[in-house]
């Protein structure tokens, strides 16, 4: 007997809206025959005048990660590569490991000071420390 589920487009829309309030995916590029890469899971916190970003990137090498900052916009790009392809004599019974490229971008509430940004990658976890850019002080202009 088949299970019947009720389609509720409003609930799905609200869930999507609140799940990705600060962090939204920009693009996905992968090999369809192998399945899809999971979205990079990202946490964003604020501490001592900086944003702390933690992203899970399992199976990614440090050299295959790109982080770009443009004002308050942060973009993470990671590429998972297969180290060894199956030989023609091998018979693959089951595979869940995929390869491809995942891109994740988000906008922070305040601009980031790119010069002071730091990144660490260990055990499949990328940790970014993104200091906030000091707000420019308003300078009155003397009228002559």
């Amino acid at each position: 007997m088949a299970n019947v589920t009720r389609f509720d487009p409003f609930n799905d829309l609200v869930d999507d809206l609140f799940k990705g309030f600060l962090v939204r995916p920009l693009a996905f590029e992968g090999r369809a025959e192998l399945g899809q890469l999971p979205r990079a899971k990202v946490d964003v916190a604020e501490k001592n005048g900086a944003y702390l970003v933690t992203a899970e990137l399992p199976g990614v090498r440090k050299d295959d990660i790109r982080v770009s900052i443009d004002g308050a916009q942060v973009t993470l790009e990671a590429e998972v590569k297969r180290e060894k392809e199956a030989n023609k004599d091998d018979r693959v019974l089951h595979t869940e490991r995929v390869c491809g490229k995942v891109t994740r971008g988000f906008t922070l509430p305040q601009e980031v000071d790119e010069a002071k940004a730091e990144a660490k990658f260990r055990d499949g976890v990328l940790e970014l420390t993104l200091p906030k850019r000091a707000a420019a002080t308003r300078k009155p202009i003397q009228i002559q």
Side-chain angles (χ1 to χ4, degrees):
M1 179 170 235
N3 290 335
V4 177
T5 59
R6 184 178 187 146
F7 177 67
D8 187 3
F10 180 74
N11 199 18
D12 292 342
L13 177 68
V14 171
D15 285 348
D16 289 345
L17 177 68
F18 289 112
K19 283 181 187 172
F21 181 66
L22 274 177
V23 182
R24 299 172 197 225
L26 286 180
F28 167 76
E29 180 182 316
R31 292 182 21 194
E33 70 268 12
L34 294 176
Q36 289 187 345
L37 284 173
R39 284 180 36 179
K41 293 178 176 78
V42 177
D43 294 335
V44 181
E46 188 176 359
K47 182 179 178 184
N48 297 331
Y51 297 107
L52 305 175
V53 178
T54 305
E56 291 181 0
L57 300 170
V60 178
R61 293 184 310 138
K62 182 170 77 169
D63 298 335
D64 295 329
I65 300 172
R66 303 283 175 261
V67 178
S68 60
I69 301 169
D70 184 17
Q73 178 72 29
V74 179
T75 305
L76 307 175
E77 295 179 32
E79 187 170 2
V80 179
K81 298 178 182 176
R82 237 184 234 272
E83 296 295 324
K84 177 184 163 193
E85 292 291 328
N87 295 331
K88 64 178 184 175
D89 297 333
D90 293 344
R91 189 174 127 211
V92 178
L93 300 176
H94 179 75
T95 184
E96 292 181 356
R97 298 180 340 158
V98 295
C99 60
K101 186 175 185 181
V102 65
T103 303
R104 191 76 191 258
F106 49 92
T107 303
L108 297 170
Q110 190 173 338
E111 289 191 3
V112 173
D113 187 355
E114 299 96 356
K116 296 180 183 176
E118 296 178 3
K120 296 177 186 173
F121 185 70
R122 186 174 25 148
D123 297 333
V125 177
L126 176 67
E127 295 177 352
L128 302 174
T129 303
L130 308 173
K132 295 178 185 178
R133 179 174 286 159
T137 56
R138 293 186 179 183
K139 180 180 171 185
I141 298 174
Q142 196 69 353
I143 301 174
Q144 297 180 8

